[in-house]
Amino acid sequence: MASVFVRVINHGKMCCALKSVVNARFTFAVTSKSQVRYSSSELKNHKRGEVHNDESKIQKSVFISQSDDIFTNLALEDWMYKNFDFTNHHVMLLWRNSPSVVVGRNQNPWLEANCGLLADQGIQLARRESGGGTVYHDAGNLNLTFFTPRPRYNRRQNLEIISTALHREWGLKTEINKKEDIVINDMYKISGTASKLGRPNSYHHCTLLVDVNKNLLSEALHKYEKGIETKATQSVPSPVLNLTDVNSSVTISRLISSIGWEYLRTTPLSRKDGGWDLVGKQRGFQMINPTNDWFPGLEQIRDEFQSWDWRFGKTPKFTVTRSFPLPRHITVGGRTVETRAEEQLKVTLTVVNGLVEDVVMKIPQTLSMSEEFEEDLKMITSIRGHRFTEEALDELNASLGAQIHRDDGKHFVTDCVRKVMASV
């Protein structure tokens, strides 16, 4: 991977030597905590002043996270949003993650992601603070977060900086569509976008597909028919393309360099090209080490992002329903009966805050012939209050014990409930 070397010299002037060298990460002259250069006045005090419109008072920085952990990077983003004063200091944070799927704040991960595949492949599932749809990350994806005070939020301007950099460096022609995605060749999505607007701060973040594993992306985000009904925000699939599919010379290192310089040479409000004279007045590129030492309280935020209660428990209420045809012959109450072709068992689970709130079953007449059988089926409701995971299935098995294997009907019903959960 190419490295970018940036050296800061007197009076904020910058001398840049961009080299291609084989290295495991980007190396900068500015790497120590003390050189991140935020002052105490930039922390905790950002609710005091009014946001001005004097561009000459605003400096810019390009921060680059040294972590590839999705939960750490989401925590860093949240920490900066909550603690930093961006009145006179705008920041573009660049970050990359090991393979992960990230759902929006108001989405259902069971609906958006192929959870079984994620577990098998060791792909992390995360939930971010912003809205929008689900995205897949790996080392071939560059993430960008633009921090400003709320009144200066302008995500189209941010996307134009990216588009300009792509054109200036590689001659690539891109468009920003009505959804504020960046597309290429009129239809292929190379960047999706989302944002969080608060007081006093805001951020806009987006992805940039460089050399992502598209097969794994497709499999990880594959939508199966799961019988889910919900008011949660649902993603709308789009055809995607890697930048390397269009121009093989595009690399993450050159992107960081080109987009970073484009950001620094662009005036913060009017988006004019100030060239290298403006670059020399900025704070430059800075490597960020997202740890508690640099950002007190970061680990606690990371733990919250990684918790089951946040990733799954924040899911809006949903129901999942499936119907199962009865086998031709089935043993109920100790006797074998012949079923009718149209008979089906319908199972509906209601899930609230990631917990099973209710289990409703529409029992066909053949299965309801035995009062003993109906009493035993009530034990299935023991999964209420449990997480919508294998935990609920374990509870179900423990409640019914070995007796389900002695009765085809009971075994069939419990197996159907198990299939409903496993299908999601």
Side-chain angles (χ1 to χ4, degrees), residues 3-20:
S3 291
V4 180
F5 288 86
V6 178
R7 188 172 301 281
V8 179
I9 59 176
N10 292 335
H11 307 297
K13 299 296 182 182
M14 305 181 73
C15 172
C16 170
L18 302 182
K19 290 180 164 182
S20 253

Side-chain angles (χ1 to χ4, degrees), residues 276-345:
W276 293 105
D277 286 340
L278 182 60
V279 170
K281 298 175 183 177
Q282 309 302 333
R283 301 193 184 194
F285 293 77
Q286 299 172 51
M287 292 296 285
I288 301 301
N289 185 14
T291 62
N292 249 25
D293 185 41
W294 285 44
F295 304 93
L298 185 75
E299 284 299 321
Q300 180 179 350
I301 300 175
R302 184 196 178 280
D303 290 344
E304 291 170 359
F305 273 113
Q306 192 178 21
S307 70
W308 192 94
D309 287 343
W310 170 254
R311 293 185 297 143
F312 294 96
K314 286 296 182 181
T315 300
K317 177 181 177 179
F318 68 95
T319 61
V320 54
T321 301
R322 290 190 66 187
S323 295
F324 303 88
L326 267 62
R328 193 71 182 89
H329 296 86
I330 194 167
T331 302
V332 181
R335 63 190 185 92
T336 301
V337 296
E338 184 175 340
T339 63
R340 296 192 301 272
E342 69 275 10
E343 287 189 299
Q344 291 188 331
L345 171 70

Side-chain angles (χ1 to χ4, degrees), residues 202-217:
S202 68
Y203 63 76
H204 156 230
H205 52 192
C206 59
T207 61
L208 197 55
L209 299 177
V210 184
D211 191 19
V212 167
N213 184 331
K214 289 188 293 184
N215 289 332
L216 201 51
L217 180 154

Side-chain angles (χ1 to χ4, degrees), residues 70 77 95 97 100 102 128 133-138 140-146 159 162 166 180-183 189-194 204-210 212 217 240-241 243 255 259:
I70 179 59
E77 192 178 57
W95 43 294
N97 297 313
S100 52
V102 188
R128 62 180 183 270
T134 300
V135 291
Y136 170 82
H137 293 177
D138 65 21
N141 180 84
L142 179 64
N143 301 286
L144 308 92
T145 308
F146 298 84
L159 297 175
I162 297 172
L166 292 174
E180 295 188 317
D181 298 325
I182 301 179
V183 297
K189 182 176 176 179
I190 61 171
S191 177
T193 200
H204 156 230
H205 52 192
C206 59
T207 61
L208 197 55
L209 299 177
V210 184
V212 167
L217 180 154
V240 298
L241 203 63
L243 287 171
L255 267 175
I259 295 176

